Amino acid sequence: MHPAMFSPSRRALILGGIAALGAAASCRPILPTGEEGGVSSAATGKIGPLRTGSGLVSLSPDATVEKAALQQARLMAASGRMEHTALPGHDFVSRMKKNGIPAPAAENLARGRMDLDELFDKWMASEAHRRNMLDPRFARFGLAFAEEANENRYWALVLCV
């Protein structure tokens, strides 16, 4: 069909659709993640042996702690930054207090598309992340991720008493 054959209303509809697609492409939409018992439950088989192999008790997945981890993962995905304070006013201590998670607590972060084996291998290879996961004070954990539209994945692991 020749462009001159489009009616003015049809042309406006097509141009409006193109503009909407362009606007949507410039946003950083976040895809859904495994909430509630999702990622944490799957990670129990990874973090448990790491702790018991070091003579520590295993950690229990906790929905409240996972919610805090999911909040951080979403903040990082929304900002495109892997930082403990991904957005102003959302620092680690404030997020833990807001979620009713008592101190002491710790947080491990990661970015990238990886499975749980690779994720925990990376954290165990880092002295600071390993220390968090093997802290004998901790009894509960929550693990979550959020994805940017480009499928870049932001991970957050929260550990607490």
Side-chain angles (χ1 to χ4, degrees):
M1 181 180 274
H2 190 272
M5 296 177 72
F6 285 120
S7 69
S9 62
R10 189 168 185 180
R11 248 182 274 150
L13 180 64
I14 292 170
L15 291 174
I18 291 170
L21 286 173
S26 67
C27 295
R28 287 174 117 42
I30 307 304
L31 302 177
T33 63
E35 293 189 41
E36 308 207 7
V39 183
S40 295
S41 293
T44 302
K46 303 296 177 200
I47 199 164
L50 297 174
R51 288 183 54 92
T52 57
S54 295
L56 301 168
V57 297
S58 190
L59 299 175
S60 299
D62 183 283
T64 300
V65 183
E66 185 172 290
K67 178 183 170 192
L70 183 59
Q71 287 172 350
Q72 176 60 11
R74 286 179 172 164
L75 287 169
M76 292 186 301
S79 70
R81 297 182 351 210
M82 186 183 73
E83 298 178 15
H84 293 283
T85 304
L87 294 174
H90 294 280
D91 61 278
F92 178 70
V93 173
S94 297
R95 285 185 286 108
M96 294 306 105
K97 284 182 181 178
K98 180 181 174 186
N99 285 287
I101 297 171
E107 181 174 67
N108 287 359
L109 305 177
R111 178 177 42 211
R113 268 197 97 63
M114 60 190 98
D115 62 23
L116 292 177
D117 288 330
E118 185 179 356
L119 176 66
F120 280 94
D121 287 348
K122 286 181 183 254
W123 280 334
M124 286 301 285
S126 160
E127 185 178 330
H129 295 104
R130 179 185 181 92
R131 184 173 45 249
N132 284 345
M133 291 189 302
L134 299 181
D135 189 318
R137 299 174 296 173
F138 298 146
R140 301 178 294 147
F141 80 99
L143 174 67
F145 67 86
E147 294 179 344
E148 291 179 305
N150 67 4
E151 298 185 11
N152 193 17
R153 192 173 280 180
Y154 289 84
W155 295 89
L157 170 68
V158 175
L159 306 125
C160 65
V161 295

